[in-house]
Amino acid sequence: MFGIVRPCSHRLGDRFKGEWMAHLCGLCLALRGDHGQLARVVTNYDGLLISVLTEAQLGRGEGGRRTAGPCALRGMRTASVARGEGARLAAAVSLVLAAAKVRDHVADRDGLLARRPVAAAARRVAASWGRAGEHSGAAVGFDTGVLVDAVDRQLGIETLAGPGTPILTVTEPTETATAAAFAHTARLAGRPGNAAPLAETGRLFGRLAHLLDAVEDREADAASGAWNPLTATGTSLTEARRLADDALHGIRLALRDTEFQDGALVHLLLVHELRRSVDRAFGTTSCGHSAPEAAFGPPTGPYAPGTPGTRGPHAPGDPHGNPYDDLSKGPGKRGFWAGCAAALAVCCTCKVCCADEFEGPWSRKRREGCCSSCDCCEALDCCDCCECCECCACDC
């Protein structure tokens, strides 16, 4: 469940955390309902933005939510989850891009994919996801061909790119793909006037996604000899940060030209949290938390990070707590599978952030919650007290 927008549950508060989780679970269940259990591994934080944008334009209608059954990732609790065309469009986009990601890893012979039997199986899965995404996209009137074309052009551009190539030439296919997906939410919501500003929002979001991924992977790519757009084009971190800040400003302006029924969550994610994502990638994190800011589950599937700076909240080395553990069993270490079960049990309880003290799932050592002495999350920012957050026009 990887993505560049990974908000901390403390900042979301009860209202926005509930809405965020409704869209996250809605995307996951839309994937399962249309394409089976395996498809759920492509659930990712950025994909659910499409569902959020669609609902923000439509408003919370009677058919926009349903009650989902118990889920292990929710502590076996039921929940109100998003449903409808927004969730299905998010599922279609996630499937197509995940298929492209898998094919890219196969082509690069990454890890186990260097082995022919594993690579062959991965190709079949990618082909299945591609067909499934195309089918889901057609069901909501979205031509996923624009995404496939963008991925194909990306490979060619990267092959030809070298020192002096403008970095925006390399990010263009990603920008085009995200622009098309964001703009289609206006069609689903019956608001054609929103198509242009949302296309601009998507274009700049795609630019940011590409730039931040390159920044976070830069050192690891240099160590492994992998291709990196910043290194290949000779783009400095200073220039990358300038482009990222320009994109943030452009997104704020585009969102002001977009009409929403309720745009509070959109503003919180695409203005405030997106800026924090940029700060995090460039090492200027603005939140007082010392741990990664995502708090909603382990990074899994083709979007899972594997390099420093892209770790999810439950990567190896991050402490987790197990609220169901029997402390009378003593401090002995758990085995691998028992530890996995313990980590899974707490992935939605945010113990790593909230607990004053808790026990690691594998080591069983006592650990201190990363926010146990943090006062930065006592209250939400201004998004909690106004719908459109006009008080943030000062570029906060």
Side-chain angles (χ1 to χ4, degrees):
M1 293 183 286
F2 187 57
I4 65 171
V5 181
R6 308 195 296 276
C8 173
S9 62
H10 287 76
R11 286 195 304 271
L12 291 177
D14 291 339
R15 175 197 169 188
F16 291 120
K17 179 181 178 181
E19 292 186 17
W20 168 268
M21 290 299 297
H23 289 286
L24 181 62
C25 293
L27 170 57
C28 182
L29 293 174
L31 288 163
R32 185 199 66 179
D34 290 343
H35 309 295
Q37 292 285 357
L38 180 61
R40 299 174 78 177
V41 304
V42 310
T43 303
N44 67 99
Y45 294 137
D46 291 344
L48 70 87
L49 290 173
I50 294 172
S51 179
V52 171
L53 284 168
T54 304
E55 185 178 88
Q57 295 171 83
L58 282 170
R60 286 280 298 275
E62 292 183 1
R65 291 282 193 274
R66 72 178 181 87
T67 300
C71 174
L73 295 179
R74 293 193 298 268
M76 299 309 296
R77 294 186 297 268
T78 60
S80 175
V81 303
R83 68 174 178 179
E85 292 186 331
R88 298 188 70 185
L89 175 60
V93 171
S94 296
L95 282 165
V96 172
L97 296 182
K101 189 76 170 180
V102 170
R103 289 195 297 269
D104 185 49
H105 284 307
V106 170
D108 291 340
R109 298 173 62 84
D110 292 336
L112 290 175
L113 294 175
R115 301 180 180 181
R116 290 184 179 179
V118 178
R123 289 191 192 96
R124 287 194 294 270
V125 170
S128 175
W129 283 347
R131 291 190 299 269
E134 182 180 1
H135 176 76
S136 287
V140 294
F142 181 66
D143 181 10
T144 58
V146 66
L147 306 183
V148 176
D149 175 69
V151 171
D152 291 342
R153 285 190 297 106
Q154 186 74 57
L155 295 174
I157 289 172
E158 290 181 359
T159 300
L160 297 174
T165 301
I167 188 65
L168 296 187
T169 299
V170 180
T171 64
E172 180 274 323
T174 306
E175 296 177 21
T176 300
T178 50
F182 277 39
H184 195 71
T185 65
R187 176 178 174 183
L188 294 182
R191 292 179 176 266
N194 283 346
L198 285 178
E200 178 68 2
T201 300
R203 183 180 70 84
L204 295 173
F205 181 84
R207 177 180 299 178
L208 272 176
H210 205 130
L211 285 173
L212 299 190
D213 183 62
V215 170
E216 292 179 332
D217 290 352
R218 187 165 169 262
E219 292 184 4
D221 288 344
S224 65
W227 194 89
N228 183 283
L230 298 180
T231 304
T233 60
T235 303
S236 67
L237 287 178
T238 300
E239 175 64 7
R241 180 63 195 248
R242 184 189 69 79
L243 292 171
D245 287 339
D246 284 349
L248 288 172
H249 182 65
I251 287 173
R252 286 196 300 272
L253 296 178
L255 289 177
R256 290 176 189 171
D257 293 334
T258 308
E259 295 183 4
F260 294 112
Q261 287 279 6
D262 182 356
L265 182 60
V266 171
H267 185 91
L268 179 63
L269 297 177
L270 288 179
V271 176
H272 295 277
E273 293 301 332
L274 198 53
R275 172 167 288 283
R276 290 186 175 97
S277 297
V278 172
D279 288 338
R280 181 173 58 241
F282 284 92
T284 56
T285 303
S286 57
C287 180
H289 299 171
S290 59
E293 295 180 347
F296 295 103
T300 59
Y303 291 85
T307 60
T310 62
R311 287 193 314 171
H314 300 304
D318 285 343
H320 307 61
N322 180 8
Y324 308 109
D325 186 36
D326 181 0
L327 300 181
S328 65
K329 292 182 179 179
K333 293 183 179 180
R334 291 188 182 90
F336 175 76
W337 293 112
C340 288
L344 180 63
V346 297
C347 76
C348 286
T349 62
C350 205
K351 282 272 184 175
V352 67
C353 287
C354 306
D356 291 331
E357 192 176 72
F358 56 89
E359 196 176 75
W362 285 278
S363 68
R364 305 193 70 171
K365 293 181 179 179
R366 305 306 297 178
R367 302 189 183 276
E368 181 181 351
C370 62
C371 295
S372 59
S373 59
C374 175
D375 60 1
C376 66
C377 297
E378 290 298 319
L380 280 175
D381 53 28
C382 53
C383 279
D384 192 35
C385 60
C386 62
E387 290 300 303
C388 59
C389 203
E390 291 296 332
C391 59
C392 297
C394 59
D395 295 350
C396 58

